[in-house]
């Protein structure tokens, strides 16, 4: 049994070439060590990996291959996943999510090439990124209502796919930001965001294959004029601020005193109108005079309006 196991033990093409030139005893010893290594690694993974995590198990229902499984089998998993991500959706949306899932399973608009594709010069099919797949699916529109076909289901999909796989991407982002701002400490936040967007976009595709569109050229040509306009706007703001600072303190104090006096006068006048209106209203109610009630109400309204202004 051990010989049979060692016979089919895969150690890689290069290792096999080297093993073919050594003695049988040394070859067997190497394969036993390799086998022990595989056992140790597998045991470690079984202990450390979250294989029993119900959330991760449920997320598997988002894989494109799950569409081919019976609806009765997957609908319960979708329901469980929705409950686990209850902070992202309201309880009333549960039925709509399940209905959209049923439509998704039999949707003929979903193309197979969204999920699988062949590499150049290869016949083996390979799964594409799941976020790209769902990006295409969630863009589908319902012609009858003129809205997204999977609006409610998209909340669950986005929430599930946003779950972090670790801290590495975040830490990498901090490192990139640090390199970008190392000698440009005064760089604005919008500039940093723009540089990161460009960097991330170039990273995803080959620079030489980047398509230069007319819109990109237009934005490039417009960037200098926008930059000059922003500089001019900032300069005008600074001048305005300087002009305010140049006003003598006594003048500014006088202006503030006048403003406070005006505000106090308006408030007092408003209170007088409201008090007078309340008196007239009380008297009108005693006399049961509807005309006087309207007049009193007008005084109160005028007073309230004056308070607001």
């Amino acid at each position: 049994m051990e010989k049979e196991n060692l016979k089919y033990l895969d150690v890689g093409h290069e290792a096999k070439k080297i093993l073919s030139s050594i003695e049988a005893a040394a070859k067997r010893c190497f394969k036993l060590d390799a086998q022990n290594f595989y056992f140790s690694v597998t045991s470690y993974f079984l202990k450390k990996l979250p294989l029993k995590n119900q959330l991760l198990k449920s997320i598997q229902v988002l894989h494109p291959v799950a569409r081919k499984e019976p609806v009765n089998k997957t609908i319960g998993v979708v329901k469980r996943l929705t409950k686990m991500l209850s902070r992202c959706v309201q309880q009333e949306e549960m039925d709509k999510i399940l209905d959209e899932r049923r439509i998704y399973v039999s949707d003929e608009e979903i193309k197979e090439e969204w999920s699988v594709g062949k590499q150049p010069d290869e016949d083996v099919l390979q799964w594409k990124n799941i976020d790209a797949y769902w990006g295409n699916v969630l863009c589908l529109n319902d012609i009858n209502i003129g809205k997204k076909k999977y609006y409610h289901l998209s909340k669950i999909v986005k929430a599930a796919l946003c779950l972090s796989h670790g801290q590495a991407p975040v830490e990498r982002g901090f490192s990139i930001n640090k390199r970008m701002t190392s000698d440009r400490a005064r760089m604005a936040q919008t500039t940093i965001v723009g540089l990161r967007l460009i960097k991330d976009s170039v990273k995803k595709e080959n620079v030489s294959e980047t398509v230069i569109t007319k819109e990109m050229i237009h934005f490039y040509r417009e960037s200098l004029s926008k930059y000059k306009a922003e500089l001019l706007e900032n300069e005008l703001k600074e001048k305005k601020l300087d002009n305010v600072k140049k006003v003598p303190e006594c003048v500014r104090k006088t202006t503030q005193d006048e403003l406070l006096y005006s505000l106090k006068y308006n408030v007092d006048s408003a209170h007088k109108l409201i008090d007078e209106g309340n008196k007239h209203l009380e008297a009108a109610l005693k006399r049961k005079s509807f005309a006087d009630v309207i007049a009193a109400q007008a005084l109160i309204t005028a007073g309230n309006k004056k308070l607001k202004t």
Side-chain angles (χ1 to χ4, degrees), residues 189-204:
Q189 184 179 349
T190 50
T191 309
I192 296 173
V193 172
L195 287 172
R196 281 301 306 271
L197 286 172
I198 294 168
K199 191 172 182 67
D200 292 342
S201 178
V202 170
K203 187 179 176 182
K204 288 179 183 177

Side-chain angles (χ1 to χ4, degrees), residues 1 106 299:
M1 187 68 181
S106 57
L299 286 171

Side-chain angles (χ1 to χ4, degrees), residues 19 22-31:
L19 288 173
I22 63 175
E23 296 179 359
K27 187 188 297 185
R28 183 174 178 279
C29 184
F30 172 82
K31 286 193 173 184

Side-chain angles (χ1 to χ4, degrees), residues 25-42:
K27 187 188 297 185
R28 183 174 178 279
C29 184
F30 172 82
K31 286 193 173 184
L32 282 172
D33 288 341
Q35 188 181 56
N36 290 332
F37 170 76
Y38 286 148
F39 285 151
S40 300
V41 170
T42 304

Side-chain angles (χ1 to χ4, degrees), residues 262-263 265-271 273-274 300-309:
S262 176
L263 287 171
Y265 176 78
N266 287 334
V267 170
D268 290 341
S269 300
H271 282 305
L273 284 171
I274 293 170
I300 295 170
T301 304
N304 287 327
K305 192 179 289 185
K306 203 161 190 176
L307 277 176
K308 289 179 182 178
T309 55

Side-chain angles (χ1 to χ4, degrees), residues 206-266:
N206 195 336
V207 180
S208 60
E209 296 175 359
T210 303
V211 180
I212 307 298
T213 61
K214 289 183 179 180
E215 191 177 12
M216 288 173 67
I217 296 170
H218 174 70
F219 283 139
Y220 170 74
R221 289 174 177 171
E222 215 177 29
S223 60
L224 182 60
S225 59
K226 284 186 175 181
Y227 176 66
K228 287 181 177 178
E230 187 179 356
L231 288 178
L232 182 62
E233 187 181 351
N234 291 336
E235 189 179 345
L236 291 172
K237 284 180 181 178
E238 287 179 4
K239 283 183 179 179
K240 191 175 180 181
L241 189 62
D242 289 339
N243 290 334
V244 171
K245 288 179 180 178
K246 287 176 183 177
V247 176
E249 183 67 27
C250 58
V251 175
R252 272 188 282 171
K253 190 173 181 181
T254 305
T255 308
Q256 288 176 356
D257 290 341
E258 289 175 355
L259 183 62
L260 287 171
Y261 177 79
S262 176
L263 287 171
K264 188 175 182 304
Y265 176 78
N266 287 334

Side-chain angles (χ1 to χ4, degrees), residues 49-62 77 80-81 84 160 163-165:
L49 291 177
L51 300 176
K52 295 181 180 180
N53 188 293
Q54 292 300 316
L55 177 60
L56 295 179
K57 282 185 178 181
S58 301
I59 286 176
Q60 294 181 60
V61 78
L62 300 180
V77 183
R80 184 166 66 245
L81 181 61
M84 290 178 181
L163 292 174
S164 175
H165 295 279

